[in-house]
Amino acid sequence: MGFQADGVELVRKGGADAVEAPAFPPLAKLMNDVRDLGGKLHVCGPCIKSREITPDDLVEGAEVVAAGRFVAEITSATNSLVH
């Protein structure tokens, strides 16, 4: 999963705790499930820097990456969903 722009707020500790949609588990649980199943939580480095978020402010397992990493992950993926 990649988090850019305002989406980086979701990877800040506690940021996804109150995000829920009817008939779905809370976002925080879904993110934990992705990580537990071997998925990655990639967070845009410049995006957190501009919001004065440090790597220590992020949830466990979040990895701060640059744009090149996002491009590499998307171009090597079988499928991708961008919102």
Side-chain angles (χ1 to χ4, degrees):
M1 296 178 78
F3 298 86
Q4 297 177 296
D6 289 335
V8 299
E9 295 291 346
L10 296 171
V11 193
R12 187 192 297 246
K13 291 176 185 169
D17 290 349
V19 179
E20 296 186 40
F24 288 93
L27 181 58
K29 181 186 180 332
L30 293 172
M31 288 169 50
N32 284 334
D33 291 349
V34 165
R35 190 186 64 234
D36 291 347
L37 292 169
K40 306 279 186 191
L41 304 177
H42 294 142
V43 186
C44 172
C47 298
I48 65 169
K49 186 175 182 178
S50 69
R51 290 162 178 80
E52 298 182 354
I53 299 171
T54 68
D56 290 335
D57 296 328
L58 302 176
V59 297
E60 180 182 339
E63 180 183 353
V64 179
V65 299
R69 180 69 181 272
F70 280 109
V71 171
E73 293 291 337
I74 291 169
T75 57
S76 68
T78 303
N79 295 297
S80 64
L81 172 65
V82 180
H83 182 271

